[in-house]
Amino acid sequence: MKAAKENGSLSLVLVGGSSGSFTIFEEMLKLVKNPLSFALIFVLHRGKSSTAALPELFKKKTNVFMNEPFHLDPIEANSIYFAYPDYHLLIGSDRRFYYDCSDKDFFSRPSIDATFVSAAVSGIPVKAAMLFSGSSADGAFGMKTLAEKGFPTYVQQPAEAEFSRMPAEALAACDKHQILADGNLFSVINDILQ
Amino acid sequence: MEYTELEILITRIREISGFDFSGYARPSLLRRASRYLTNHKMTLDALLVHIGKDGRAVYDLIQDLTVNYSEMFRDADFFVKVRTAVFPYLESYPTLRFWVAGCASGEEAYSLAIFLKEAGFLGRSLIYATDLSNKALTAGREGVFTLGNARTFSENYLAAGGRHSLSDYYHVAYNKAVIVPELRRNIVFSMHDLTGDGVFNEFQFISCRNVMIYFTLELRRKVFRLLYDSLSMLGFLCLGKRETLRYSGLEENFKVIDSALNIYQKIR
């Protein structure tokens, strides 16, 4: 596929989470300083009836451009994107977003695995991928795929997560992840975001 | 699975069956093919051998790679808008033709039929429900759903502003929900390939929701052209929530009825 933008570099920072992750996402957005050299992509499990537009909800946290992208929208640096409820958000090798309505992963659509795996094979460099609290096994396979491709991956310390299962599954599936513990959580995230 | 491997699979499927996935969006196709391998505990090499050795296997794989997920009254707000902003306009027509393109097993066609009945013009409406998958169309014609699905569909129906109870429109038999014959009479299920087949009728309303997301940018343009050519002047085109007319080359020919729900009206 042809690149949407032939020039200019693009890298991704991926963030996934479920129950118990919302406040971490909010805190993370406060650390975002303009301009970002990468595209920051959040996949938060939400029910299909979730009507909260996250960019609207988070707009006071940062001045950086935020949206819930449409199908085929180009992925741009210095932008924050949120996965839309009831669709899987996929990363194309042509630097565009793609949607998919196929089966749920671990009862979730959007699924973290769907986005993370597509990013891992997209050919676009992943600066960092992070996985936080949640009560399913979603994300473990995506994080493993990213780690095996040599991208830096960070998992919240399960004992410190509100719901430990999601980070615990990721750590059980792969031993290459770095652990984000309360002591270093936001300082590491802050370093990643600069 | 990597993109290079996916291309090998696409070529092999084309050689064996003639079915060409080359116009399909790679990211979702890759996801589906990878899941197929995982679910069947197969390697790509084993799959390539498998589809080559007997006639059915490749067609089963094609079905799996193209099948769409659907629900009755999916996106309740969309159906509310259709009823309030589109139906009043269509009411004046003596006969009406609707097209549900990429209908999967008919959930959306039945949803439309129910609302047309409640609006009082199902009798002069014909709904064409088309899909690529024969298997899905057969299920659609039968109008049979699991009771578990019927529960979700009932909730959607009420959220969409349904005036009765969804159970008024189906019978329960052998632990399944079977749509009443009256609704089925006005729906024609037939096979149509949006990527290869042409215009077959003129419609006042086309719903093609969450179908275009599976096509490449180039093929998508071609399919948009087909939908445009199949619409009567001032007819309505409905797309999925994350789909837009952007990048279609036809933006100027439509008026936006609802930008969040992606409902458009052909104006030139």
Side-chain angles (χ1 to χ4, degrees):
Chain A
M1 269 184 271
K2 239 171 77 182
K5 218 166 58 171
E6 300 291 351
N7 302 312
S9 61
L10 176 70
S11 64
L12 310 172
V13 171
L14 308 169
V15 186
S18 187
S19 10
S21 291
F22 202 84
T23 48
I24 300 173
F25 287 12
E26 272 187 301
E27 289 303 309
M28 196 184 296
L29 283 169
K30 287 185 198 162
L31 300 174
V32 166
K33 300 282 183 291
N34 209 356
L36 292 174
S37 62
F38 48 84
L40 179 54
I41 300 171
F42 285 88
V43 185
L44 174 64
H45 286 167
R46 288 194 281 171
K48 67 174 179 182
S49 53
S50 164
T51 49
L54 294 184
E56 193 58 31
L57 215 59
F58 288 142
K59 71 179 176 196
K60 292 207 175 93
K61 309 282 180 212
T62 171
N63 290 325
V64 174
F65 169 81
M66 287 191 279
N67 86 343
E68 293 170 316
F70 283 93
H71 182 63
L72 290 176
D73 277 353
I75 306 169
E76 310 271 12
N78 194 24
S79 307
I80 299 167
Y81 301 101
F82 299 94
Y84 193 78
D86 210 23
Y87 290 86
H88 297 302
L89 180 67
L90 306 181
I91 313 289
S93 57
D94 57 354
R95 297 174 173 194
R96 290 179 185 271
F97 284 110
Y98 285 78
Y99 280 92
D100 182 90
C101 293
S102 58
D103 296 347
K104 295 176 179 180
D105 285 333
F106 306 102
F107 308 103
S108 296
R109 190 169 48 230
S111 103
I112 298 165
D113 276 343
T115 305
F116 284 19
V117 171
S118 69
V121 296
S122 69
I124 303 168
V126 175
K127 188 173 182 240
M130 294 175 253
L131 188 73
F132 297 100
S133 168
S135 47
S136 81
D138 189 22
F141 181 68
M143 289 289 280
K144 180 172 183 266
T145 311
L146 286 160
E148 284 171 352
K149 291 256 177 194
F151 297 121
T153 48
Y154 301 84
V155 174
Q156 187 179 14
Q157 172 68 262
E160 294 170 2
E162 208 173 316
F163 292 87
S164 61
R165 181 158 177 220
M166 192 180 271
E169 293 275 357
L171 291 170
C174 175
D175 59 7
K176 293 186 166 135
H177 307 313
Q178 299 174 60
I179 294 183
L180 293 169
D182 278 355
N184 69 4
L185 184 73
F186 287 107
S187 65
V188 174
I189 292 172
N190 193 46
D191 289 347
I192 292 169
L193 295 178
Q194 300 317 307
Chain B
M1 193 184 216
E2 301 286 338
Y3 282 109
T4 47
E5 296 172 309
L6 180 65
E7 296 306 321
I8 294 169
L9 181 62
I10 290 171
T11 306
R12 191 75 189 113
I13 291 173
R14 191 173 51 231
E15 284 166 1
I16 299 168
S17 70
F19 188 85
D20 191 2
F21 273 111
S22 56
Y24 279 65
R26 296 301 190 270
S28 55
L29 197 54
L30 186 78
R31 171 176 158 78
R32 285 164 184 235
S34 300
R35 284 174 68 89
Y36 186 95
L37 292 177
T38 308
N39 293 342
H40 291 79
K41 298 186 171 57
M42 259 182 176
T43 62
L44 176 64
D45 287 341
L47 178 63
L48 293 172
V49 172
H50 177 63
I51 59 175
K53 73 179 173 201
D54 92 70
R56 278 251 32 98
V58 72
Y59 297 100
D60 288 343
L61 174 64
I62 293 168
Q63 301 268 5
D64 272 31
L65 296 182
T66 53
V67 77
N68 285 315
Y69 148 88
S70 190
E71 275 179 13
M72 275 175 89
F73 298 99
R74 180 177 188 198
D75 301 328
D77 44 357
F78 165 75
F79 281 94
V80 168
K81 196 73 185 182
V82 165
R83 188 139 94 172
T84 54
V86 178
F87 278 12
Y89 178 86
L90 296 177
E91 212 164 11
S92 58
Y93 284 77
T95 56
L96 285 161
R97 280 182 305 274
F98 295 80
W99 180 15
V100 181
C103 69
S105 36
E107 290 83 351
E108 180 146 336
Y110 286 120
S111 309
L112 257 182
I114 288 168
F115 271 9
L116 286 170
K117 181 173 163 52
E118 292 184 4
F121 44 101
L122 179 62
R124 52 194 161 91
S125 302
L126 205 49
I127 302 168
Y128 288 82
T130 65
D131 203 275
L132 186 67
S133 159
N134 220 350
K135 196 166 143 192
L137 289 168
T138 304
R141 270 185 214 106
E142 287 170 356
V144 178
F145 303 101
T146 65
L147 285 180
N149 277 341
R151 264 190 291 280
T152 310
F153 297 173
S154 289
E155 288 166 15
N156 292 353
Y157 166 76
L158 292 174
R163 291 174 187 162
H164 302 280
S165 158
L166 189 65
S167 59
D168 292 349
Y169 301 108
Y170 64 80
H171 304 302
V172 176
Y174 303 106
N175 241 359
K176 301 267 183 191
V178 185
I179 300 284
V180 296
E182 186 197 355
L183 291 177
R184 285 186 278 171
R185 261 200 298 276
N186 296 60
I187 305 177
V188 179
F189 284 97
S190 70
M191 201 188 273
H192 183 276
D193 178 1
L194 281 166
T195 69
D197 297 338
V199 174
F200 64 96
N201 213 325
E202 190 180 85
F203 299 93
Q204 281 77 43
F205 181 101
I206 298 176
S207 173
C208 186
R209 299 199 301 144
N210 302 316
V211 178
M212 222 85 80
I213 51 177
Y214 298 111
F215 304 143
T216 60
L217 198 54
E218 294 72 25
L219 186 58
R220 188 175 169 275
R221 276 203 192 96
K222 190 180 150 193
V223 176
F224 263 121
R225 186 77 219 180
L226 167 69
L227 298 179
Y228 171 77
D229 290 341
S230 304
L231 264 182
S232 64
M233 190 53 74
L234 304 178
F236 296 89
L237 175 65
C238 307
L239 305 175
K241 275 193 173 176
R242 291 291 98 189
E243 297 169 316
T244 70
L245 274 180
R246 277 206 294 270
Y247 326 115
S248 71
L250 293 167
E251 296 91 321
E252 302 298 308
N253 298 328
F254 287 92
K255 180 172 108 179
V256 180
I257 300 295
D258 191 303
S259 61
L261 297 167
N262 289 304
I263 303 176
Y264 305 92
Q265 186 174 28
K266 178 171 171 173
I267 51 166
R268 61 171 72 93

